[in-house]
């Protein structure tokens, strides 16, 4: 049974820091891995999708990497801003459904 | 181009009642999935609909049922509501058959059961 874990559960940093959020999964047989952002009480915004054949994806200040053999993905956020404050969720695509971690709650203070 | 739309945004019910939530997928998408997100948790897969049939189901009781219409929109029905059904219900759309297609989520329906 696929399990997804995210650490840390919460993170509070000053503006301008570079951040690394971690995601691990137990079964390497995945189609892809997707990172989402969720603001309190809101839906999910897709940030990056990494296909199983890819190693990383980049969008602006965000970079996500995938290492299937070790069951790990990282989301790197460069030069963090207060507007980045949110919960970040990773999810592995298991056949026709997504299996989510419990998220990392990020607070960036000025 | 409208994204995934869900209605209503908020709903308050009492135990034992029934509720229906609605979802319209992103234009061009034919597959709708429903997820339940309890407070402080990641979303949990409920089921997926394609061609008006349930393709796959998560570990949810039969009180949770759904429907997909010819225009690809979908409904989630929950009968005999329990306090534990209080959660954010998320709808996601995608295009089946493209293996690893990105899922797009709606803003969710916040259900409170009193």
């Amino acid at each position: 049974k696929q399990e997804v874990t995210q650490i840390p559960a919460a993170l509070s940093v000053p503006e301008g820091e570079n951040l690394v959020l971690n995601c691990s999964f137990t079964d390497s047989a995945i189609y892809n891995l997707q990172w989402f952002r969720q603001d309190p009480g809101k839906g999910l915004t897709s940030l990056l999708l990494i296909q199983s054949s890819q190693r990383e994806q980049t969008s602006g200040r965000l970079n996500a990497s995938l290492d299937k053999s070790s069951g790990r993905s990282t989301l790197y956020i460069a030069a963090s801003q207060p507007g980045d404050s949110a919960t970040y969720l990773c999810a592995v695509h298991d056949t026709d459904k997504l299996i989510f971690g419990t998220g990392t709650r990020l607070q960036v203070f000025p | 181009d409208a994204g995934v739309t869900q209605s209503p945004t908020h709903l308050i019910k009492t135990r034992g009642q029934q509720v229906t939530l609605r979802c319209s997928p992103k234009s061009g998408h034919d597959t709708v999935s429903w997820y339940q997100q309890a407070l402080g948790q990641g979303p949990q897969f409920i089921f997926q609909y394609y061609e008006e049939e349930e393709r796959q189901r998560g570990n949810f009781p039969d009180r949770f049922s759904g429907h997909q219409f010819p225009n690809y929109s979908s409904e989630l029905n929950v009968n005999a509501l329990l306090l534990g059904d209080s959660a954010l219900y998320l709808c996601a759309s995608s295009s089946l058959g493209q293996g690893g297609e990105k899922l797009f989520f709606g803003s969710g329906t916040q259900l409170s059961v009193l």
Side-chain angles (χ1 to χ4, degrees), chain A residues 31-32 34 36 38 41-49 51 89 93-103, chain B residues 33 35 37 40-45 48 55-56 58 88 90 96 99-108 110:
Chain A
Y31 283 99
N32 62 36
Q34 200 166 347
F36 294 89
Q38 185 174 35
K42 303 298 184 183
L44 307 180
T45 300
S46 180
L47 298 173
L48 291 165
L49 170 73
Q51 300 282 359
L89 292 154
H93 198 127
D94 182 355
T95 58
D96 295 320
K97 64 182 183 290
L98 290 177
I99 299 175
F100 285 85
T102 53
Chain B
S33 303
Y35 290 79
Q37 186 178 24
Q41 301 297 314
Q44 299 289 317
F45 175 75
Q48 182 187 77
R55 283 192 80 247
Q56 193 171 359
L88 180 66
L90 296 163
L96 196 70
E101 181 73 7
K102 182 186 293 187
L103 269 70
F104 292 82
F105 281 80
S107 298
Q110 184 67 55

